[in-house]
Amino acid sequence: MIETVSTARAFGGTQHVLRHHSTTTGTGMVFSAFVPDHAEGKRLPVLWYLSGLTCTHANATDKGEYRRACAEQRVIFIAPDTSPRGDGVPDVPEWDFGQGAGFYLDATEQPWAGHFRMRTYIEQELPALIAEHLPVDMTRQGIAGHSMGGHGALTVALRNPERFRSVSAFAPIVSPLRCPWGEKALTGYLGPDRNTWRAYDATALIQDGARVPELLVDQGDADGFLHEQLKPWLLEKACRAAGIPVTLRMQPGYDHSYYFISTFMADHIAWHGERLRN
Amino acid sequence: MIETVSTARAFGGTQHVLRHHSTTTGTGMVFSAFVPDHAEGKRLPVLWYLSGLTCTHANATDKGEYRRACAEQRVIFIAPDTSPRGDGVPDVPEWDFGQGAGFYLDATEQPWAGHFRMRTYIEQELPALIAEHLPVDMTRQGIAGHSMGGHGALTVALRNPERFRSVSAFAPIVSPLRCPWGEKALTGYLGPDRNTWRAYDATALIQDGARVPELLVDQGDADGFLHEQLKPWLLEKACRAAGIPVTLRMQPGYDHSYYFISTFMADHIAWHGERLRN
């Protein structure tokens, strides 16, 4: 069951906002899907975009400026929510934990374990749903994300290398084990045993043997979270040690906002598009 | 006095959000200005963008997708608010009148006459302010707008043909004299004498002798306001009778939203850019 929240023509395609009941999170979940025009019966590659702290599907959908490039590259763009939401879902007043801050993991600690299962949602339930309802070619998937969503893109791809041909990130959290956002969230969702965190840390996954073909990362050098939270050099170092080619582009003057993301979005989509062609 | 609300690097330029005290409206007013990178001392042409009902500067700034094209065309993009706002400013509960619905006119009726002076604000105060504070070449100005802001762009340009080299609109209100939004707003702001409305009706201005060199208008044919409120054929007819070349492009399947505006924004900016070159 999938319900249309809104649908609109845009850039020679259709921007859908869709809602469904998730059996994984036990809540209604909203996501957006941009589908370029295509011949009847044709299936298009899909680029997943995972958003950062505080975001819903709407931030990227409104401000991501991805539609022109996706229409040119003939790529479907999926923007999920960042956590379960709603009255029955636990929350805290902070913006970096709880609703809007799901960290793309399956929580094991209470009160989060019941609903906060974004790993399974992104890895299993939502792919099955879009494969059924949208004209996607699931043999051609790429994934990207911003900040907490960059962490999501990297870790989902590293754990599922057979599923993704391409992975990129905008200002990602590269090592939740080694930053305050990560330490707070993973302690809360997974408990104090840091060994359980390694499946949700891109650098630890690489150290533990996970591989992707290559990585593209853009990072603004005026990003206020760069030195304390993001530390892309930790990813670069892990990739070098593992022999994963990584392109880390430090973008002078750019901050952590959608002004930064939208500036480089078309580059990322073209990069994915090349790798998602037949 | 001009105060920076925010500033961020974007698309090889700088997106400013600025605030000043307006002597025209008697309130603080916020607007946004995107300034492409340019050589020290160089002045760039400016494109004004007037927004529609309910909008602030933020709608176009967040969702307009104008920055890449403005950077390419080397055009400064100014997005003003649509009315005065704040606790001391009169308002009504409706979304199509009062705050957020200034209709780019100088009100003569109470309680609006004190603050609702968006015509003078857009025609005089804000141009003087940006000429002083931003690297604009005021001999090269263009203007565009959406819906109520399309009405604003058309009427401001028709009353000030010496100021603008180029005018375009997205789904404009072309004749407030002949649509419910216009009749409600102009009755409220200007009173029942319809002769006073003609200075704020693009088709009446043209009938009364006002001229611009040419017009570009995009209109979605799935726009729910097309037949009752917008009626672009009234503008086309007035232009034909007056010998003003008008390009009215009916865009199949597009609605009234920013999905429509952003799709055709780059086209409009390129069109203005051609006309704003030295």
Side-chain angles (χ1 to χ4, degrees):
Chain A
M1 264 298 290
I2 195 162
E3 175 196 339
T4 297
V5 176
S6 69
T7 185
R9 189 127 187 87
F11 289 96
T14 307
Q15 180 65 62
H16 303 278
V17 177
L18 303 168
R19 190 175 195 282
H20 69 115
H21 179 79
S22 165
T23 54
T24 305
T25 66
T27 65
M29 292 293 282
V30 178
F31 66 99
S32 82
F34 177 70
V35 181
D37 288 354
H38 56 283
E40 180 82 31
K42 191 169 165 68
R43 290 185 167 264
L44 303 180
V46 57
L47 177 60
W48 296 82
Y49 175 84
L50 304 184
S51 293
L53 287 165
T54 77
C55 290
T56 68
H57 73 284
N59 302 66
T61 309
D62 289 351
K63 303 194 281 189
E65 303 198 22
Y66 56 79
R67 282 173 284 267
R68 183 182 303 280
C70 282
E72 285 169 2
Q73 299 288 334
R74 305 260 162 190
V75 168
I76 288 174
F77 190 98
I78 304 287
D81 204 344
T82 57
S83 82
R85 295 176 190 276
D87 285 345
V89 178
D91 200 11
V92 290
E94 300 102 277
W95 57 270
D96 56 0
F97 189 60
Q99 293 187 32
F103 271 83
Y104 305 101
L105 53 73
D106 285 353
T108 54
E109 298 296 293
Q110 293 306 339
W112 312 103
H115 294 291
F116 280 70
R117 301 184 62 219
M118 289 300 290
R119 172 182 176 168
T120 299
Y121 179 71
I122 296 294
E123 289 186 354
Q124 297 180 28
E125 186 178 8
L126 194 54
L129 190 82
I130 70 160
E132 186 184 344
H133 290 280
L134 294 173
V136 285
D137 175 355
M138 298 300 272
T139 69
R140 293 187 286 154
Q141 296 185 63
I143 189 165
H146 170 238
S147 194
M148 177 185 75
H151 145 76
L154 293 169
T155 55
V156 170
L158 283 160
R159 288 191 308 262
N160 301 276
E162 72 298 342
R163 182 176 148 200
F164 297 100
R165 289 199 197 173
S166 53
V167 198
S168 76
F170 304 89
I173 298 172
V174 305
S175 183
L177 278 157
R178 289 177 281 178
C179 73
W181 281 338
E183 292 186 322
K184 175 176 178 176
L186 274 53
T187 302
Y189 295 130
L190 302 175
D193 178 2
R194 286 180 167 239
N195 282 318
T196 67
W197 300 14
R198 295 184 70 83
Y200 301 109
D201 183 296
T203 63
L205 282 163
I206 292 169
Q207 284 158 16
D208 294 347
R211 294 292 181 268
V212 290
E214 58 182 322
L215 289 174
L216 170 64
V217 176
D218 273 306
Q219 171 65 57
D221 75 0
D223 184 326
F225 301 115
L226 174 56
H227 293 280
E228 191 185 2
Q229 303 283 5
L230 305 175
K231 309 177 187 176
W233 44 87
L234 297 177
L235 179 67
E236 201 172 33
K237 191 176 165 196
C239 285
R240 289 229 177 105
I244 299 173
V246 58
T247 304
L248 170 59
R249 307 191 300 198
M250 294 302 295
Q251 301 291 358
Y254 285 85
D255 67 15
H256 199 65
S257 71
Y258 267 90
Y259 294 128
F260 157 68
I261 302 169
S262 59
T263 297
F264 300 102
M265 182 63 88
D267 273 5
H268 281 241
I269 291 167
W271 186 87
H272 285 275
E274 275 176 33
R275 285 152 183 81
L276 296 173
R277 286 199 193 101
N278 271 322
Chain B
M1 266 296 292
I2 194 161
E3 173 196 339
T4 297
V5 176
S6 68
T7 184
R9 190 129 186 85
F11 289 96
T14 307
Q15 179 65 62
H16 303 279
V17 177
L18 303 167
R19 190 175 195 282
H20 68 114
H21 179 79
S22 165
T23 55
T24 305
T25 65
T27 65
M29 291 292 281
V30 177
F31 66 99
S32 82
F34 177 70
V35 181
D37 289 354
H38 56 282
E40 182 81 31
K42 190 168 167 66
R43 289 185 167 266
L44 303 181
V46 57
L47 177 60
W48 297 82
Y49 176 84
L50 304 184
S51 293
L53 287 166
T54 77
C55 290
T56 68
H57 73 284
N59 302 66
T61 309
D62 288 350
K63 302 194 281 190
E65 303 199 19
Y66 56 79
R67 282 173 284 268
R68 184 182 303 278
C70 283
E72 285 168 2
Q73 299 287 335
R74 304 258 161 190
V75 168
I76 289 173
F77 190 98
I78 304 286
D81 204 343
T82 58
S83 82
R85 295 176 190 276
D87 285 346
V89 178
D91 200 11
V92 291
E94 301 102 279
W95 58 270
D96 56 0
F97 189 60
Q99 294 187 32
F103 271 83
Y104 306 101
L105 54 74
D106 285 352
T108 53
E109 298 296 293
Q110 295 305 340
W112 312 102
H115 294 291
F116 280 70
R117 302 184 62 220
M118 290 300 291
R119 172 183 176 167
T120 298
Y121 178 71
I122 296 293
E123 290 186 354
Q124 297 179 29
E125 186 178 10
L126 195 53
L129 190 82
I130 70 158
E132 186 185 343
H133 291 279
L134 295 173
V136 285
D137 176 355
M138 298 300 273
T139 70
R140 293 186 287 155
Q141 296 183 64
I143 190 165
H146 171 239
S147 195
M148 178 184 74
H151 146 77
L154 294 169
T155 55
V156 169
L158 284 160
R159 289 191 308 263
N160 301 277
E162 72 298 342
R163 182 176 149 201
F164 297 100
R165 290 199 195 173
S166 52
V167 198
S168 76
F170 304 87
I173 298 172
V174 306
S175 183
L177 278 157
R178 290 176 280 179
C179 72
W181 280 339
E183 292 185 321
K184 174 175 178 175
L186 274 53
T187 302
Y189 294 130
L190 302 175
D193 177 2
R194 287 181 166 237
N195 282 318
T196 67
W197 300 14
R198 296 185 70 81
Y200 300 109
D201 183 297
T203 63
L205 282 163
I206 292 168
Q207 283 158 16
D208 295 346
R211 294 292 179 267
V212 289
E214 58 183 321
L215 290 174
L216 170 64
V217 176
D218 274 304
Q219 172 65 59
D221 77 359
D223 184 328
F225 301 114
L226 174 57
H227 293 279
E228 191 185 1
Q229 303 281 6
L230 305 174
K231 309 177 188 175
W233 44 87
L234 297 177
L235 178 68
E236 202 172 33
K237 190 177 166 195
C239 286
R240 288 228 177 106
I244 299 172
V246 57
T247 304
L248 170 59
R249 306 192 299 197
M250 295 302 294
Q251 301 290 359
Y254 284 86
D255 66 16
H256 198 65
S257 72
Y258 267 90
Y259 294 128
F260 158 67
I261 301 169
S262 59
T263 297
F264 300 103
M265 182 62 88
D267 274 6
H268 281 240
I269 291 167
W271 185 88
H272 285 275
E274 276 176 32
R275 285 152 183 81
L276 296 173
R277 287 199 191 99
N278 271 322

